[in-house]
Amino acid sequence: MSARPRTRAAGLVLSLLVPAATLVPATAEAAPADALDSVNTFIGTKDDGNTFPGASAPFGMTQVSPIGSHYAGWRYDDTAIRGFGHFFLSGAGCWEQGGLVSTLPTTGAVGPGAAFDTTKPATFDQKRYASPYTHDGEVGKPGYYKVRLTGYGGIDVETTATTRTGVERYNFAKPGDANVFVNVGQANDKEPVTASSIRVVDDRTVEGTVESQAFCGGKPYTTWFRTTFDKPFKSSGTWSPTGGTPGGKESSGGAGLRGAWLTFGGGPVTATTAISQVDANGPKVNLAAERVRPFDHVRADTQRTWRRELSTVDIKGGKSDDRTVFYTSLYHSLLQPLTGNDADGRYYGFDKKIHRAVGWTYYDFFSLWDTYRSQNQLLAMLRPDRAKDIAKSVLAIHDQGGWLPRWAYASQETNTMTGDPVTPFLVDLWRYGALSGNEVKAYQALLQNAREVPPAASPFQGRSGNPSYQKDGFVQYDPNFPKKGQDTDPNHGASATLEYALGDCSLSIMAAALGRKDDAKALAEKSRTYRTLWDASQNDRGFSGFFRPKVAGGGWFTPADKPYNPQSQDGFHEGTSWQYQWLTQQDVPGITKLMGGKDNVGKRLDDFFAYSDLVADPAKTVREKWVVGPYNYYNQFRYNPNNEPDLHAPWMYTLSGQPWKTSAVLRAAQTLFTNAPNGVTGNDDLGEMSAWYVFSALGIYPGAPGTGNFLLSAPRFSKSVIHLQNGRDVTIAAGGADGAKLQYVAGLRVGNGWWSSPSDKAYVSFEQLNRGVTLDFRLTTDAAQATWATGPGGAPASPCAG
């Protein structure tokens, strides 16, 4: 959802020195290392990156990771581990997000007056029985996590996962009896558990339910689980809000402490847990299908899968930390959306009924406001078969719920964030071929979403600002507009207008391709109505004209106690007019005219990025001049690389005829991504920020939704090869590339096989990439030599200019 900036420690700052101007010579590169070994899952586990370090399969339903004091689960500077949960999101920004079915190995007697005193209910609070741990020897790799608990005599905990199961292995240093606590009444910090149950099935198995609240204040939902152990436990008991019951077989009820302890006769213990959101049979089906196997076998298979996924992109060049940042970003991009159907194909739909996915995978947990910008396109490029299932899943939500989602979580619409992200999301999937056979169906659903409003009885909010947008060309700003969930568009009317317009433009492209000429024309015209919010009388920092919210009836919004300020949050969601002025990439000529010409656009961009300071000291500038405070999107006038609204803004230089400046800004922004726990900018937002980094490091970026165009910039690595699913390769060569320097593109050759030719275009199409192509960049450290793609035709035409 939202992103949060942070200040890096001085030792992590990557020095960027601009040497004497020169063309960059090619250099020999060492053989690439194993992509899996290059991943560091601790990146993003500090300063609200909100990633998790534990184990997951790609797009897995189940994750196994430590729980600490942070609402996202665990942060690197937590001092204790409360348990190991079995459901997490990566990088989400709201409080309620998992840590369900928390397990923790312990030692010590359990009973009346014992070390774990069953007569005292607080004994079974995970905050109380949590164990300290050490980072020494801790391992965080794709599909594998290891940590040593220093409490309870010392316990080594290892976790791995399959798509639908999580597996833990506990090795106890202390001889004698050992316990495993299974806590169903608590989860991540600030994740309410409203009801739970647990039942001891036999001397190897427990099962139960957790009813928890969905993300961002959503409605409660139920998760079923079943945990089986590789050896029998010799005794057990359950606890409830009134205390523990030795020998108890079941505990169930509403909110409050609830769980079971299982006592083993020492030695290593392995637990395998499956979850389901369908019913009690779901975990049984998932355990049977994915098989209870030795820990090392599961780990080897999952890491083999991860190695195959990560090897989709091979990179050469860069230092070890550069490789780690890149492959960790790719890893984070491949965690979501989550597998939503059980192994038998059944899934719980948005109509509260059970459906079955036959021959395809149903996905859930869609953070569309974030992922429509980069992560969606990365998945569609790398794994088109998976993208087809994602598209099919979103259409299934429409079939069952009657409307398209915005932020789907556990088979419900949370109505989190604003605007219209599902339109560019689905249109790009269509553009990349993922809607083949479903184009008309998808278009009809998108057109309904673009022009109508869900009825009051629907849980979907949809484009709640459509009445004023369709009539007057803008979404009215009304902070008191009623909402069905966390957000609604009129609460942020100005930014919603801009997002509607971007979505309408993308849909017009699809309409034209489907032969809907009248729709295409009307949608393209509608995409230009963002201009109704341009207030030419507004002045700030020497610039005239800014977007300003309007209220119902068409009057300009003015605060009650002061003049309107373009740096204020009024009318904009997680940003200001300064950030949102660039969300106009569908109509660059239009925004250029409003701003008073290309020279003024360039000056605004320079001020926005503090460009002169950036060239002098990139790493310092991004940390001191850009948005750097935690969650500090408001009252700002500079670029915010920690949040989504202006992520594409560096490429506005390219679209306005100054592509060399795009390369400079990107190299500066990349210093915020480091091989450290705080090495992600803001919340990673289900892989969006990481996908942004992957594209920017490769030197390609999806420019305007629906166009299929990728804008080009100086690659960070000397050679990158994207292995497409169709067997073809996209090779990106940039001899002498050095991420520690500001470098610009001096020339480009585009070819296939033995043939190539010079190109003075700062873009390529998806079709070119999908056929297999080589992009051979010539780099320079002298901006004066970077005249490449600055002439007419250097930038792609705006799809909805007019």
Side-chain angles (χ1 to χ4, degrees), residues 14-21 602 605-623 625-626 638 653 658-669 671 739-744 780-784 786:
L14 180 62
S15 175
L16 282 172
L17 301 177
V18 182
L605 285 166
D606 288 348
D607 189 49
F608 185 64
F609 289 106
Y611 190 80
S612 60
D613 294 321
L614 182 150
V615 171
D617 194 334
K620 180 180 179 182
T621 298
V622 300
R623 288 163 176 81
K625 298 286 186 175
W626 291 359
R638 287 262 164 81
Y653 272 127
Q658 296 181 304
W660 74 93
K661 290 185 177 180
T662 294
S663 293
V665 170
L666 294 178
R667 283 286 173 87
T671 67
K741 301 175 181 177
L742 290 185
Q743 294 177 310
Y744 314 93
T780 178
T781 57
D782 182 3

Side-chain angles (χ1 to χ4, degrees), residues 594-671:
L594 292 176
M595 290 182 177
K598 290 182 64 174
D599 287 346
N600 284 334
V601 170
K603 291 175 182 177
R604 280 198 194 223
L605 285 166
D606 288 348
D607 189 49
F608 185 64
F609 289 106
Y611 190 80
S612 60
D613 294 321
L614 182 150
V615 171
D617 194 334
K620 180 180 179 182
T621 298
V622 300
R623 288 163 176 81
E624 295 182 2
K625 298 286 186 175
W626 291 359
V627 180
V628 296
Y631 288 94
N632 196 16
Y633 339 102
Y634 300 124
N635 303 313
Q636 297 288 349
F637 63 90
R638 287 262 164 81
Y639 179 53
N640 182 5
N642 314 282
N643 203 14
E644 279 75 15
D646 56 357
L647 279 185
H648 68 287
W651 287 272
M652 291 299 284
Y653 272 127
T654 298
L655 294 176
S656 57
Q658 296 181 304
W660 74 93
K661 290 185 177 180
T662 294
S663 293
V665 170
L666 294 178
R667 283 286 173 87
Q670 288 163 8
T671 67

Side-chain angles (χ1 to χ4, degrees), residues 327-340:
Y327 280 112
T328 304
S329 296
L330 183 58
Y331 163 78
H332 283 147
S333 301
L334 301 176
L335 288 170
Q336 282 109 176
L338 307 184
T339 297

Side-chain angles (χ1 to χ4, degrees), residues 64 275 324 330 384 408 548 561 668 694 717 764 785:
V64 195
I275 66 172
T324 294
L330 183 58
R548 180 179 178 182
D561 57 345
V694 168
F717 300 101
V764 293
Q785 295 186 25

